[in-house]
Each structure stands twice: as C-alpha cells, then as structure tokens.
Amino acid sequence: MAGAAAAGPVVVVGSCMTDLVSLTARLPKPGETIHGHEFFIGFGGKGANQCVQAARLGAKTSMICKVGKDSFGNDYIENFKRNGISTEFVHQTKDASTGAASILVDNEGQNVIVIVAGANMLLNFEDLKKATGIISKAKVMICQLEIAPITSLEALKMARASGVKTLFNPAPAIADLDPQFYTLSDVFCCNETETEILTGLQVGSPTDAGKAGAVLLERGCKVVIITMGAEGCVLVSEEDPVPKHIPTEKVVKPVDTTGAGDSFVGALAFYLAHHPDLSVEEMVRRSNFIASVSVRSSGTQSSYPFKKDLPGNLF
Ligand code: RIB
C-alpha cells in the first residue's frame, strides 16, 4: 500500500512501540534465566496496532502520535506509510526515544509485556490542537492508555465535541481511572484483566463479565465490550443492558495471542466507520473472527489480516 496524506474516517490517538519479542517454551519465574528459541523485532504499540488493523480492512486512517527522532522512529513512520496510514500528525521528538515493548511469548501463545513508553508520553495538547481539522471530520476516534492519560482524555473530549464516535480501550488499565473516561466512551472495550483492575471484580466466565460490564455501564459508557480471548466477548449496552455472550472461532493451536485485542479494536473501528448500519452484535462477531485470524501467526501487526485474505461476507 502507498502512503496516504488525506484524513480518514478513523483517527487513532495513541501509541507506537518497537516490539522486541522472544519466543520461549514457557515464561520464566522471577529471578530465573531461561533459553528462548527465537527473537524478532516488530512494529507494535496498542494505538498503532489498532490503526494498522483498521487500515488493512480498508479504512482510511490517520495516526496522531509521537515517536523519537531515532532509527526506530524513522522506521515506524515508513511502516505507517506502507500500510496507507496518514502520517501528517506523527510527530518526532529528540527528547525521548521511540517507545519499546519487551515481549515474551510461550509455547501456548500466551505473553507477558513490559513497555517503556518514551516519546509516547510526550504527545501533548498542542499536538492534538494541530490535528483539530481531521479529528472533527472523523467518524470514529480510538484512544488507549499507553500515552499520558490526560492527552487521551483531551482527545476524547475533542471527538465528543464534534460528534465523533469514541472507542476507548483502557489498556494498560489504571485502577483509579478518571471517571470522565467512562462518560466520554461511546464504546468502552477492555479485556478480562483490565476489567478486574477497573472494577475489582473477578472475571473468570462470561457470566462474571456480564456483571462487571453492568458496573462499567453504570459509570456512563454507552456500550461495554469485554473481550475474553478464546471465549469471545461479552456485550452490554445502554439500549440492551442484558449481557450477551458472543463466542468466537475455536483456534486449536494459537501461535501468538499478542495484539489480538488490538486487532479486535481496529476491526471494530472499521465497522463503526464503514458499516454503521450493522448491529453492534454483528460488528463484534465479525471483529472476533478477524482477531482469531491474528492468533494463528506470530507477532502483532505481522499477524494482522488484509481485506483480500478474509471471507467476502465480512464486508
Ligand atoms: O497489545 C499488544 C501491544 O502491547 C504490543 O504490540 C506492545 O507494543 C504493547 O503495546
């Protein structure tokens, strides 16, 4: 795909990370050193992952983010261009390095991640202000929490003020999340761990997720989606507060689940922007399928499917 300059219906305000990935048979215990069998570097960061997945499904997308003035940052900008994402508001700074994520993936495809957000934390109100034009014309804005929360909050306020649909992914989760994040979220989408941190409730089953979803709904979100990996998702909304469990494809031997949640969020943004007449339940069903494709190969963005590789009935 060639680089694109025009603004699109999907705007992502969020993070870019260089993923440093080691594959190991199992995850090490504290204090333990173990041998891994493979290492690779990839493009990651929840914001950028979501943006790339939406773009690969055919959405015109713009990324608002900050990378370092370093080789990782330069490479990242090229990566956006290759994926047809507008880089007009991808800023570079000399004051911090491009964000990096150390990721370990075991033989079951499970992962642990440590991020050093670096330049991501320097994305500020000024940067957002410069992008007012594209934000106000977007159909959907996605935000997460790998940049300064105050910047995400401001972005959501700007989107709301222009009637742009907001899709908020509170990852990584903060226990004392500013309550405005809930009221500013048209769609609030989190996984089980994030839900537990936000609500203090254990999420071990779809029934538990339904109960936690009701708590999040009461805080002011319009739609709450709790993603549960192989179990699919649980959906609750203002319009239909009875929790709905939406199962997903069974993947017998997942290779790498890293970034599957981002694939889901990016796909959901695509449907919200390009197929707004579908029910949210149907959007979730299709996004589940797309995320299930991503766990069949390793890496984050490297595992995300393109429209041409997916069944036509998804579009
Ligand atoms: O959600 C997966 C992502 O989390 C990785 O790409 C890593 O960069 C971290 O941000």
Side-chain angles (χ1 to χ4, degrees):
M1 262 192 256
V10 175
V11 169
V12 180
V13 178
S15 57
C16 303
M17 307 278 172
T18 303
D19 286 351
L20 307 165
V21 187
S22 299
L23 307 185
T24 69
R26 61 173 178 83
L27 302 176
K29 299 193 185 100
E32 187 188 19
T33 302
I34 58 171
H35 280 275
H37 54 269
E38 200 183 323
F39 172 80
F40 60 88
I41 298 181
F43 295 104
K46 297 179 195 305
N49 291 347
Q50 295 164 7
C51 194
V52 165
Q53 182 62 90
R56 289 189 184 173
L57 298 177
K60 260 196 165 209
T61 54
S62 302
M63 187 74 201
I64 303 174
C65 62
K66 196 163 269 181
V67 295
K69 215 164 183 40
D70 49 29
S71 62
F72 284 152
N74 296 340
D75 290 350
Y76 219 119
I77 292 171
E78 287 312 308
N79 176 56
F80 282 136
K81 289 184 180 160
R82 276 196 300 276
N83 280 282
I85 294 166
S86 168
T87 53
E88 196 180 345
F89 300 102
V90 177
H91 302 279
Q92 277 193 290
T93 177
K94 284 189 182 138
D95 297 335
S97 315
T98 299
S102 300
I103 304 180
L104 302 181
V105 182
D106 71 11
N107 275 356
E108 268 68 60
Q110 296 302 318
N111 63 71
V112 288
I113 306 180
V114 175
I115 59 165
V116 178
N120 290 294
M121 299 311 277
L122 302 184
L123 187 74
N124 57 34
F125 286 19
E126 272 304 299
D127 301 320
L128 293 181
K129 229 189 251 157
K130 288 182 198 143
T132 306
I134 60 149
I135 291 176
S136 62
K137 286 191 217 102
K139 291 211 167 90
V140 179
M141 175 191 278
I142 322 179
C143 292
Q144 327 70 29
L145 291 174
E146 287 184 334
I147 60 171
I150 195 166
T151 306
S152 289
L153 197 59
E154 180 64 14
L156 291 170
K157 285 181 185 167
M158 287 171 75
R160 222 354 120 71
S162 298
V164 176
K165 211 172 252 299
T166 55
L167 168 51
F168 179 54
N169 172 223
I174 310 172
D176 58 345
L177 188 68
D178 186 320
Q180 294 178 88
F181 277 106
Y182 299 102
T183 52
L184 287 167
S185 295
D186 290 314
V187 181
F188 190 94
C189 180
C190 46
N191 68 18
E192 309 100 305
T193 319
E194 289 145 10
T195 306
E196 288 182 9
I197 294 170
L198 294 167
T199 63
L201 299 172
Q202 288 268 314
V203 180
S205 67
T207 310
D208 293 344
K211 289 183 187 144
V215 170
L216 295 172
L217 203 61
E218 266 192 15
R219 294 184 186 169
C221 322
K222 294 205 168 85
V223 173
V224 175
I225 299 167
I226 299 179
T227 58
M228 304 191 69
E231 286 288 338
C233 300
V234 169
L235 166 70
V236 286
S237 67
E238 232 177 33
E239 271 177 22
D240 186 0
V242 179
K244 271 205 186 78
H245 177 213
I246 304 162
T248 188
E249 294 288 296
K250 179 121 192 81
V251 179
V252 182
K253 182 100 188 59
V255 174
D256 185 353
T257 59
T258 317
D262 299 331
S263 167
F264 177 90
V265 171
L268 187 61
F270 163 78
Y271 287 116
L272 288 165
H274 287 273
H275 297 275
D277 295 336
L278 289 175
S279 67
V280 180
E281 195 178 332
E282 183 55 26
M283 292 185 197
V284 167
R285 208 179 301 283
R286 295 182 190 195
S287 303
N288 263 347
F289 180 86
I290 291 163
S292 79
V293 173
S294 81
V295 307
R296 294 172 196 267
S297 47
S298 63
T300 49
Q301 293 174 26
S302 52
S303 69
Y304 291 177
F306 289 82
K307 180 176 182 179
K308 65 175 174 45
D309 305 319
L310 291 163
N313 61 5
L314 289 174
F315 299 95

